[in-house]
Amino acid sequence: MRVDKLRTNRCALVILFVSIVISGCDFPLTQNDLEALQARGEIVLITRNNSACYYEGPHGPVGFEYDLASAFADHLGVNLRVSIIEDEVDMIAALKAGQGDIIAPGVPFGSQSARLLSLGPGYLEVEQQVVGRRGGPEIQSKKALEAYTLWMTGSSARIEYLEELRRIYPGVSWQILTAYSAEDLLQMVWNRSLPLTVVESNIMSMNHHYYPELTVKLTLGQPRKLTWATDPRNRRLKQVIAKWFDRKGTREIIKGLIDHYYSHLESFDYVDLARYRRRIKVRLPKYRAYFEAAAQKYKLDWKLVAAQAYQESHWNPRAKSYTGVRGIMMLTRETAASMNLENRMDIEASIFAGTRYLARLHRLVGKSVPEPDRTLMALAAYNIGFGHLQDARLLARRLGKPENSWHGVRSVFPLLQQKKYYTTLEHRYARGNEAVMYVDRIRTYYKMLRQNVDVMASGSAAAEDPAILP
């Protein structure tokens, strides 16, 4: 582990602050900064590559901060370009050097950083949370923290609070791991490599369903809101950001993004499985003929397609997400267009398009991958994107794991969330745990469907076919 001392980060901020103050007179105020931005036709967002900010999804860039900035760029009538910078000090330096227009770090700014920046309106409330694993350290008070080291990533706001806490409890200590992301540290606590970490509540919320054994031991300080930051010299940009956040339409955008990114996934337990069994009897018969016809045309198992459709939409043809994915197969507008699908609400056409898309991914995986591994990889690509699947296969090969085996690729998918690995790959960060969970659920739904489908209702012997998935 690379462990940087606290004073290193503090010195960097101080040096940056002093250099800007000393040279401030050399920077002329830009009276028409907004006009200059619009003239060049793009706005540059400085942010992090993680689940809370920005990452490459199966159909293009996504992430809370990315989607919010995209909406703002549309408002200005310019393109959005993303600059990935992980360290807060480096973010500020890049902004001051004119290499970006907005910083959206996904964490609050500390007071030292705030002095160098113009902060916009707050839009998402987060807390600093001490996270451990069930059966691990019991933390019932702040004083109990003196018995443990808090492992965390660098954050000026978090460090300032801990410094204040240490004045009351001198034994409080922490270590900053710059080579790891907050998601890495959550996984390390989960696998018992670390006892405790401190992360923002938005990061914990987005990852908790991957690691249900993790628990919030303590909340530090008062909730604070995330903000964008701009260069103080760019006064017009600051003004237009403030006005944009004050619009009713923007508040609705933020509410939709919060619902989309931070609403918890439905629990996958007895209640969910019992609901699925009921829907096999009640909902599936309405669409079964479409699944059978589409699967026959594209040479897939109709029960696999039906199981995948249930994972996507719970067989709800009106399903839609905030990001525009919709229909019984939950296709994006771009994927639907590539499949010549004009109306994603058309149930039959949507099922045929989704099945055709899965069949295309199956072909792309290639004959070098045996079954059922080929089908499992195609399902993962449907969820996470073919580029990320190829990254995972490359990573498996690097780590000496079989790249043509689902077992080998499955084992490295979670590593696509770890900074150590995704920075070496073409498509960078991906929610690899989600892809694994996605495939696992479809396998369970497929197995249950084979057991529960009423073969006599259709006069078919399909249930006698060999299962394509274990």
Side-chain angles (χ1 to χ4, degrees):
M1 294 181 184
R2 178 184 167 194
V3 181
D4 287 353
K5 297 295 185 180
L6 166 64
R7 58 177 176 271
T8 303
N9 284 334
R10 286 183 56 82
C11 286
L13 273 175
V14 171
I15 292 170
L16 180 60
F17 176 71
V18 171
S19 65
I20 291 169
V21 170
I22 292 174
S23 59
C25 58
D26 295 332
F27 292 120
L29 291 175
T30 305
Q31 299 297 333
N32 298 314
D33 58 277
L34 183 61
E35 288 82 353
L37 184 155
Q38 291 174 320
R40 74 174 188 256
E42 72 171 12
I43 189 167
V44 180
L45 175 72
I46 298 174
T47 191
R48 293 186 167 104
N49 190 198
N50 62 30
S51 60
C53 295
Y54 164 86
Y55 61 98
E56 185 178 330
H59 308 289
V62 289
F64 186 99
E65 299 295 348
Y66 175 82
D67 287 344
L68 188 59
S70 292
F72 180 63
D74 290 343
H75 173 72
L76 295 181
V78 298
N79 296 322
L80 176 67
R81 179 162 63 87
V82 175
S83 175
I84 298 298
I85 301 177
E86 300 292 344
D87 184 76
E88 185 176 308
V89 173
D90 293 339
M91 286 181 163
I92 298 172
L95 184 76
K96 294 295 183 178
Q99 298 169 5
D101 301 297
I102 296 172
I103 300 177
V107 298
F109 291 99
S111 60
Q112 287 191 18
S113 294
R115 292 192 195 103
L116 307 174
L117 306 165
S118 287
L119 302 186
Y123 53 89
L124 178 65
E125 193 172 83
V126 300
E127 297 175 314
Q128 302 286 346
Q129 296 178 333
V130 178
V131 177
R133 184 184 166 110
R134 296 183 189 277
E138 288 298 327
I139 307 296
Q140 298 180 348
S141 68
K142 294 175 182 176
K143 181 172 178 55
L145 294 175
E146 291 184 302
Y148 301 95
T149 297
L150 299 175
W151 299 85
M152 61 189 196
T153 57
S155 162
S156 60
R158 186 185 305 133
I159 291 170
E160 287 175 6
Y161 176 80
L162 289 174
E163 286 180 329
E164 293 177 3
L165 186 64
R166 189 155 61 182
R167 294 189 186 100
I168 304 172
Y169 305 107
V172 171
S173 64
W174 58 90
Q175 292 283 6
I176 299 173
L177 301 179
T178 59
Y180 297 88
S181 69
E183 293 177 337
D184 292 340
L185 301 189
L186 287 174
Q187 184 180 44
M188 293 164 77
V189 172
W190 175 76
N191 65 25
R192 297 186 174 91
S193 297
L194 299 175
L196 298 171
T197 188
V198 185
V199 299
E200 283 72 23
S201 55
N202 55 332
I203 297 292
M204 176 61 176
S205 176
M206 194 164 283
N207 288 274
H208 196 192
H209 57 278
Y210 298 140
Y211 311 114
E213 296 85 1
L214 296 183
T215 62
V216 176
K217 302 292 185 177
L218 201 65
T219 296
L220 301 177
Q222 298 299 315
R224 298 182 59 179
K225 288 192 174 182
L226 302 183
T227 63
W228 284 354
T230 57
D231 192 318
R233 294 168 290 172
N234 293 337
R235 296 174 178 175
R236 288 286 294 121
L237 179 58
K238 177 184 178 181
Q239 292 169 0
V240 76
I241 288 175
K243 290 181 180 179
W244 184 72
F245 271 98
D246 194 47
R247 295 170 66 244
K248 180 181 178 181
T250 303
R251 292 194 293 272
E252 291 175 351
I253 289 172
I254 292 171
K255 182 179 183 299
L257 289 173
I258 291 172
D259 289 342
H260 175 69
Y261 283 103
Y262 294 107
S263 58
H264 291 290
L265 297 178
E266 183 179 7
S267 60
F268 195 54
D269 54 16
Y270 171 79
V271 174
D272 178 56
L273 297 181
R275 184 185 297 114
Y276 176 58
R277 291 188 184 95
R278 290 196 302 272
R279 288 172 176 171
I280 288 175
K281 297 179 181 179
V282 177
R283 289 189 183 181
L284 179 59
K286 302 176 186 177
Y287 316 119
R288 175 170 171 169
Y290 299 144
F291 289 129
E292 290 178 335
Q296 181 178 13
K297 180 174 181 178
Y298 296 109
K299 296 180 174 56
L300 296 175
D301 184 337
W302 78 265
K303 295 179 291 300
L304 172 69
V305 177
Q308 183 193 21
Y310 186 81
Q311 168 61 25
E312 290 287 348
S313 68
H314 286 188
W315 295 329
N316 174 10
R318 309 301 299 177
K320 63 179 181 179
S321 76
Y322 177 78
T323 55
V325 181
R326 60 178 54 198
I328 195 167
M329 300 300 288
M330 293 299 276
L331 297 171
T332 65
R333 186 176 290 107
E334 294 77 12
T335 301
S338 70
M339 296 293 107
N340 299 318
L341 174 64
E342 296 181 358
N343 179 11
R344 289 174 289 169
M345 297 295 107
D346 183 321
I347 301 172
E348 181 178 5
S350 180
I351 289 174
F352 269 78
T355 307
R356 180 184 172 193
Y357 181 54
L358 179 62
R360 173 191 287 182
L361 293 170
H362 189 263
R363 288 195 301 274
L364 287 174
V365 171
K367 296 181 179 179
S368 61
V369 179
E371 292 292 1
D373 305 71
R374 185 178 177 185
T375 296
L376 294 169
M377 289 188 194
L379 290 171
Y382 194 107
N383 171 259
I384 203 171
F386 188 73
H388 287 306
L389 171 66
Q390 294 299 84
D391 279 353
R393 294 179 69 185
L394 172 61
L395 185 56
R397 184 164 69 247
R398 289 178 184 172
L399 298 178
K401 299 176 182 291
E403 63 178 297
N404 289 338
S405 159
W406 171 245
H407 175 74
V409 174
R410 184 187 192 278
S411 69
V412 303
F413 257 126
L415 302 183
L416 300 186
Q417 294 179 213
Q418 294 187 25
K419 186 176 178 181
K420 174 182 176 181
Y421 296 102
Y422 68 68
T423 53
T424 69
L425 300 169
E426 178 181 357
H427 301 277
R428 294 180 67 88
Y429 176 92
R431 298 174 71 171
N433 275 318
E434 186 174 291
V436 171
M437 188 181 297
Y438 177 86
V439 174
D440 286 348
R441 287 186 173 215
I442 292 174
R443 293 174 74 174
T444 299
Y445 290 143
Y446 173 75
K447 181 178 180 179
M448 291 179 62
L449 183 56
R450 284 183 55 81
Q451 294 171 344
N452 288 272
V453 69
D454 184 0
V455 177
M456 299 303 296
S458 64
S460 168
E464 299 303 320
D465 295 338
I468 63 167
L469 297 183

